[in-house]
């Protein structure tokens, strides 16, 4: 589920931003995807999940260790925790 201090719109903006960064770095076809259960579902928890698929552990590590990814991650950790 989403963190209590994050809106769906904010989360989608974050995913869009990191997907754009990953693509600009030359990793086309790799992206995070966001899923939401149907509105008629009455579940109060686990209404969302996000997913990604990587061709290998090495590519996953490579992307997540790139300076642009780490900078994005740092920025979002500050926004989520509220410590700008």
């Amino acid at each position: 589920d989403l963190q209590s201090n994050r809106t769906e719109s904010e989360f989608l903006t974050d995913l869009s931003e990191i997907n754009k960064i990953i693509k600009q770095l030359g990793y086309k076809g790799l992206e995070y995807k966001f899923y939401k259960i149907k509105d008629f579902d009455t579940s109060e928890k686990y209404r969302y999940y996000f997913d990604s698929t990587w061709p290998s552990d090495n590519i996953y590590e490579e992307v997540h260790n790139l300076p642009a990814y780490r900078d994005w991650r740092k920025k979002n950790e500050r926004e989520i925790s509220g410590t700008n």
Side-chain angles (χ1 to χ4, degrees):
D1 251 5
L2 296 176
Q3 293 178 324
S4 62
N5 63 336
R6 303 291 286 164
T7 66
E8 184 178 314
S9 177
E10 289 170 328
F11 189 75
L12 288 172
T13 298
D14 292 342
L15 284 186
S16 178
E17 184 180 354
I18 193 56
N19 284 339
K20 182 178 177 183
I21 289 169
I22 291 169
K23 186 175 181 180
Q24 287 173 338
L25 291 170
Y27 296 91
K28 293 176 177 43
L30 301 180
E31 65 181 3
Y32 287 98
K33 296 178 182 174
F34 179 74
Y35 299 91
K36 178 181 175 182
I37 64 169
K38 300 284 184 183
D39 288 336
F40 61 79
D41 189 309
T42 59
S43 298
E44 293 185 27
K45 290 185 178 183
Y46 310 115
R47 298 190 60 80
Y48 308 92
Y49 92 95
F50 74 102
D51 190 25
S52 63
T53 302
W54 301 87
S56 70
D57 290 345
N58 289 342
I59 296 295
Y60 175 89
E61 291 296 327
E62 184 177 307
V63 169
H64 288 76
N65 285 317
L66 291 168
Y69 185 93
R70 289 194 324 248
D71 290 346
W72 173 85
R73 179 77 185 176
K74 254 189 245 182
K75 179 189 85 133
N76 282 287
E77 285 173 353
R78 283 192 307 268
E79 288 177 4
I80 290 168
S81 68
T83 57
N84 292 327

